[in-house]
Amino acid sequence: MSDAPSRRAASGTEAYQLDEQVGFLLRRASQRHIAIFNAGIPELTPTQFAALAKTAEIGPVSQNELGRATAMDAATIKGVIDRLAARGLIETGESPTDRRRVMVRLTSEGRAALARLIPSAQAITEATLAPLTPPERAEFIALLERLG
Amino acid sequence: MSDAPSRRAASGTEAYQLDEQVGFLLRRASQRHIAIFNAGIPELTPTQFAALAKTAEIGPVSQNELGRATAMDAATIKGVIDRLAARGLIETGESPTDRRRVMVRLTSEGRAALARLIPSAQAITEATLAPLTPPERAEFIALLERLG
DNA sequence: TATGATTTGTTTGTGTGCAAACGAACCGGG
DNA sequence: CCCGGTTCGTTTGCACACAAACAAATCATA
């Protein structure tokens, strides 16, 4: 159905094909992953789950520090924490040593939810990588880590 | 600094390390790319540029079709088109054959802007992939395409 | 041709994601 | 001790991204 690769744009747009650009491909892969996540864990967003999991990993943390650990800026992590707290999965308190800090820690409910959801999260990771063979998955993850 | 890989979480969270999950890595890589894009092309968002470039590729299209071609749903593409039209880079009109359709085409301004920005866009792609060697870049793109 | 299903676009609501501007608290050097 | 720089958190404003619900137009087929 036509000579696709040597396709020439009508105007002066040269050989810029959107579908070959990393940025576009990254966005599409993220979208697909998020769709898989929403199907597997409907009760939490990927971002909320990330904050929950990271809090479990690194224990009680200040809000901004948790944001840094999960790649969310101060404005974003605030909303995420507010919503998790409203659901009773985490709780916030003041720091004994720094009055500016808002400390974040899991509730037992949060801990239970996390334990319950981790298998689903692992399945989601696998489903996302399903189109690749196991060695390809490892390779992909390794390359992706270096682009962070 | 400690036995990192065999690190054991205090609670029952088992071996779920956020920083190893594809979803998290995809989000981080996207964030980095978007930051590079914003620095290289401050006047347009990556999404807006994608819509502009795709419109140039596939000529006059209906709004929803352009959305499909750029991986944006109907609600999203509408906002993007509204903003591009407000800037005079594209213009919309009615379809002669289907009264529901909103046809989208580049203005000469849009065409000029695109021609001017494509080199920057290419530089942005390269900068995003800079941490990888050329063969790794090709490999990464190939794997990423299959995760779309 | 009627009519039911599909498609196109719109609107609303929620959730990231980031820039910018701000006040409060902390920290270091003089 | 004071003072300037930094960090912590908040708020506002804008831009995706998607679900859900909707009206209008088109299509398929009985």
Side-chain angles (χ1 to χ4, degrees):
Chain A
M1 201 178 301
S2 83
D3 41 349
S6 60
R7 189 179 180 287
R8 191 174 294 272
S11 54
T13 52
E14 316 299 330
Y16 186 87
Q17 297 284 119
L18 179 63
D19 327 78
E20 296 167 0
Q21 310 302 316
V22 223
F24 179 71
L25 295 173
L26 280 172
R27 187 162 65 88
R28 276 210 308 143
S30 289
Q31 284 175 356
R32 174 167 162 277
H33 166 74
I34 293 171
I36 292 171
F37 192 102
N38 290 339
I41 303 185
E43 62 268 48
L44 286 178
T45 66
T47 315
Q48 288 164 5
F49 185 82
L52 201 63
K54 201 64 181 180
T55 305
E57 257 184 56
I58 62 182
V61 223
S62 78
Q63 191 174 287
N64 275 4
E65 199 180 336
L66 181 59
R68 267 176 252 124
T70 51
M72 305 179 204
D73 71 10
T76 301
I77 192 71
K78 184 192 190 310
V80 174
I81 286 187
D82 284 352
R83 286 181 282 275
L84 286 174
R87 303 251 225 117
L89 300 177
I90 61 173
E91 58 188 5
T92 58
E94 36 191 48
S95 159
T97 64
D98 188 337
R99 263 184 298 163
R100 297 168 305 174
R101 281 194 159 96
V102 173
M103 298 305 287
V104 179
R105 82 179 77 73
L106 288 187
T107 60
S108 50
E109 256 193 72
R111 204 173 306 277
L114 187 59
R116 181 168 48 80
L117 294 175
I118 279 183
S120 306
Q122 282 159 343
I124 288 164
T125 290
E126 277 176 38
T128 299
L129 292 172
L132 306 184
T133 67
E136 284 172 338
R137 296 174 202 183
E139 170 73 354
F140 180 71
I141 296 284
L143 294 174
L144 199 50
E145 264 168 354
R146 290 170 49 203
L147 289 184
Chain B
M1 200 177 306
S2 86
D3 42 349
S6 62
R7 188 179 181 286
R8 190 174 295 271
S11 52
T13 53
E14 316 300 329
Y16 187 86
Q17 297 284 120
L18 180 62
D19 327 78
E20 295 167 1
Q21 311 300 316
V22 223
F24 180 71
L25 296 172
L26 280 172
R27 185 162 67 88
R28 277 210 308 142
S30 289
Q31 284 175 356
R32 175 166 160 277
H33 166 74
I34 292 171
I36 292 171
F37 191 103
N38 291 338
I41 303 187
E43 62 266 50
L44 247 36
T45 66
T47 315
Q48 289 164 5
F49 185 82
L52 202 63
K54 202 64 181 179
T55 305
E57 257 184 57
I58 61 181
V61 223
S62 78
Q63 191 174 287
N64 274 7
E65 199 181 335
L66 181 58
R68 268 176 250 122
T70 51
M72 305 179 205
D73 71 9
T76 300
I77 192 69
K78 185 194 190 309
V80 173
I81 286 187
D82 284 353
R83 285 181 283 275
L84 286 175
R87 303 251 226 118
L89 300 179
I90 62 173
E91 57 188 7
T92 58
E94 35 191 49
S95 158
T97 64
D98 188 336
R99 265 183 297 163
R100 295 168 304 175
R101 280 193 160 95
V102 174
M103 298 305 287
V104 179
R105 81 179 77 72
L106 288 188
T107 61
S108 50
E109 254 193 72
R111 205 174 305 279
L114 187 59
R116 180 168 49 81
L117 293 175
I118 280 183
S120 305
Q122 283 160 343
I124 287 164
T125 290
E126 277 175 38
T128 299
L129 292 171
L132 306 183
T133 67
E136 284 171 339
R137 295 175 203 182
E139 171 74 354
F140 180 70
I141 296 283
L143 295 173
L144 200 49
E145 266 168 353
R146 291 170 48 202
L147 289 185

